[in-house]
Each structure stands twice: as structure tokens, then as C-alpha cells.
Amino acid sequence: MTRTHEKVSAPAGEGHARHTRESAAAGVEQALKLLDGRWKLVILFHLFGGRVLRFSDLERAIPAVSQKMLAQQLRQMERDGIVRRTVHQQVPPKVEYGLTAWGQALCPALDALLTWAALRDNPTAAAAESVGASPVRTSAVADAEPP
Amino acid sequence: MTRTHEKVSAPAGEGHARHTRESAAAGVEQALKLLDGRWKLVILFHLFGGRVLRFSDLERAIPAVSQKMLAQQLRQMERDGIVRRTVHQQVPPKVEYGLTAWGQALCPALDALLTWAALRDNPTAAAAESVGASPVRTSAVADAEPP
DNA sequence: CAGCATCCTACGGGATACTG
DNA sequence: CAGTATCCCGTAGGATGCTG
């Protein structure tokens, strides 16, 4: 990823199930490209669970990010259909960000990655390998900080 | 990702289950960093399924990659414990690459990403959301090109 | 408040050439 | 065969400043 490169030119003929090694790699690359960006994941995890935050909330939640970057990455995710942007026509301006259903659906996939990472030292391999064996709770994030 | 940056400084105190929004994001970032690199995924998918290939095999399988890049990315994945490198002491040199168990374990996770990507237009949402509901076959790649 | 616009830099990675 | 070494460029993304 990293590069805009592409050139992958996927066959784009399959429904979704059958992949050659190349098309599978290309597919995953495509998917990862949507998540590429220094802040996308942090934003994502702050929005998981149906949370809706204003721009300034996100700024506060992620102090290290610059306005430019925050805006940019939010815009990209909006274009990609991951984030829903709601503008409340009023002064002072108020813009809220939340996840689309598809965006929410990312959670289990990221969960799988987390699980995989945890597997490195944790040789619960055999059992844990079937990612969604135990009910995938679409959470991955413990609800710390109760309101 | 993209950048070497880091600065995430994960708490590194949890077993593997409980995450704050930040630590979860950091965890996924860590995981994705291991996959970052223009050729890692293609290599990975060529090695999935217990396949063992020589350097030249990979060169042939991935014509677009340069020797430098192929070597570099293989080295990185080796350092990360994803790929196993076997040197056969002989002339001419012969080096084989295969996945470690942990490397293999990446398959379901990538599968989850593929599934998610497929979900974009395919609103089989409700059912498909539980990633591993149907038996995860640790394949993701249809065995095309029979020997 | 929620942003664009601009400038600048560091790093990923391509091309090419050389070796044990 | 299986790499290393060198050079060079494009782009992500940080800093900073201006607006509806």
C-alpha cells in the first residue's frame, strides 16, 4: 500500500467467493488502502459502537492529530462509504461523524487481526484459529470510560 | 501506517482481551505494519496453504517485483516471524521460503477483510457479519492452476 | 467551529549495477 | 542462484496560517 500505485487491475468478474492468489492479494490491498492513513484506525475505533462525535470531539479524543489530517482522513472515509457525515445547518457550525453500517462491519475484521496478533506468543493456536468460533461480538473494544 | 513513526506506546499490560479504543487501534496498526509493503500480501498469498517456494519461484510468480524488493520484504517477514527461510547449503545456492504457523494463521484475518470488502455492495450483511460463522476454511484462495 | 491552502520533509520503493 | 549496494523520485503527512 502506501503508494497510490495500483496497477493491480483486478479481474473484477467474480461474485466474491473465488479468488486467484493475485486477486485475493489485490482484494485485501484494496481493503487495506481504505484503512491506510495514520489516523483512520484511531478514528474508526472511536466511532465503533454506533458512536457519533463532532469534529471537535474527535480533536479532543485524538490530541496528536492536526486539523488538516483529521479533516482529510474523515473525508476519505466518507468518500469510501465508511463514515457518515452529518452537517447541522446552524451557527456556530456543527458537524457530526458516525459509521455507516458497512463501516461498523469492519469491526469483526479488525478483531480478527487483533486475534492474530495476540496469537504470536499465545499458542492457543488450534482453538483460536477459527476466528469467529466464539460469538463475534463486534466490539473488540471494552467499554471503558462509562458516561 | 506508511510512516515508521510509531509513538503509539501501547500500555502493553493486557493479556489480549481488553482494549481501550487507543490500544485496539494501536494493536491493529502494529499488525498492519507487518503487512505493509507493496509485495507482502502477494507473497503471502503465494505461500498460503503450506506452499514452499524458492526465491526464483517467487520471482517468476510475481514478475513485477524487483529482486531488491522481493528480498527486502521476505527478510522483513522473516524477522517478523511470518515467513520461514530455509537455506540449503549447496551450489548453486538454494533458499526456500514458507510460512510459519503464525503466518498461516493470518489467512482467516485476511479472509475477514475480503468478506468485509465484498459486503460493500453485497448486502448479505446480517448473515455475513459473523465472519467465521460458516467453517473458516483457512483458504481464501481457490486452488486454481492444478499441477 | 470546522475547515482549506501552502510549504516542506522523510521514507517507501523503483531502476540499475555489482558479487559470493 | 540469491542476493547486496547505490541513486533517485513520488507521496503521505507534519507545521503553520487564513476563512465562512
Side-chain angles (χ1 to χ4, degrees):
Chain A
M1 339 349 159
T2 294
R3 273 307 186 51
T4 318
H5 242 201
E6 259 341 74
K7 186 175 292 180
V8 284
S9 70
E14 290 79 38
H16 74 61
R18 247 59 216 267
H19 280 285
T20 70
R21 300 177 195 281
E22 278 80 15
S23 80
V28 176
E29 268 176 53
Q30 284 273 103
L32 289 185
K33 203 160 48 124
L34 305 183
L35 306 180
D36 203 13
R38 179 76 184 72
W39 307 102
K40 299 245 182 95
L41 288 170
V42 210
I43 296 172
L44 226 20
F45 275 98
H46 273 281
L47 259 32
F48 272 142
R51 271 140 157 273
V52 175
L53 300 177
R54 320 182 32 166
F55 191 86
S56 50
D57 291 333
L58 284 167
E59 270 189 288
R60 237 165 292 118
I62 316 170
V65 74
S66 67
Q67 290 187 319
K68 170 198 169 183
M69 276 301 118
L70 185 54
Q72 184 183 102
Q73 317 251 313
L74 281 167
R75 295 300 218 213
Q76 288 177 16
M77 298 180 99
E78 190 198 355
R79 291 160 80 92
D80 296 335
I82 297 175
V83 159
R84 173 162 8 247
R85 182 167 177 264
T86 324
V87 182
H88 300 258
Q89 205 33 17
Q90 62 182 246
V91 18
K94 175 174 173 180
V95 184
E96 290 183 321
Y97 294 93
L99 294 182
T100 62
W102 189 54
Q104 264 297 331
L106 232 186
C107 205
L110 299 187
D111 226 5
L113 278 168
L114 238 24
T115 301
W116 172 70
L119 228 64
R120 220 221 275 235
D121 333 271
N122 226 30
T124 320
E129 202 213 311
S130 8
V131 176
S134 41
V136 174
R137 280 180 40 260
T138 317
S139 94
V141 176
D143 284 79
E145 59 218 333
Chain B
M1 336 5 177
T2 293
R3 272 306 183 54
T4 319
H5 241 201
E6 261 340 77
K7 184 174 297 182
V8 285
S9 69
E14 291 79 40
H16 73 64
R18 246 61 218 265
H19 280 286
T20 70
R21 298 175 195 283
E22 279 81 16
S23 79
V28 177
E29 270 176 52
Q30 284 274 103
L32 290 185
K33 204 162 47 128
L34 304 183
L35 306 181
D36 203 14
R38 181 73 184 80
W39 305 102
K40 298 247 182 91
L41 288 170
V42 211
I43 297 172
L44 227 21
F45 275 98
H46 273 281
L47 258 32
F48 272 141
R51 267 136 162 278
V52 174
L53 300 177
R54 320 183 33 168
F55 190 87
S56 48
D57 291 333
L58 285 166
E59 271 191 286
R60 235 166 293 119
I62 315 170
V65 74
S66 67
Q67 289 187 319
K68 170 199 170 183
M69 278 299 117
L70 184 55
Q72 184 184 99
Q73 317 251 315
L74 282 168
R75 294 300 217 212
Q76 288 179 14
M77 300 181 98
E78 189 198 356
R79 290 160 80 93
D80 296 335
I82 297 174
V83 159
R84 176 166 2 252
R85 182 166 177 266
T86 324
V87 182
H88 299 258
Q89 209 26 24
Q90 62 182 246
V91 15
K94 176 175 175 180
V95 182
E96 290 183 321
Y97 295 92
L99 294 181
T100 63
W102 190 54
Q104 263 298 330
L106 231 187
C107 204
L110 299 188
D111 226 5
L113 278 168
L114 238 24
T115 303
W116 172 70
L119 228 62
R120 218 219 273 236
D121 331 272
N122 227 31
T124 320
E129 202 212 312
S130 11
V131 174
S134 42
V136 174
R137 280 182 40 261
T138 317
S139 94
V141 176
D143 285 81
E145 59 218 332

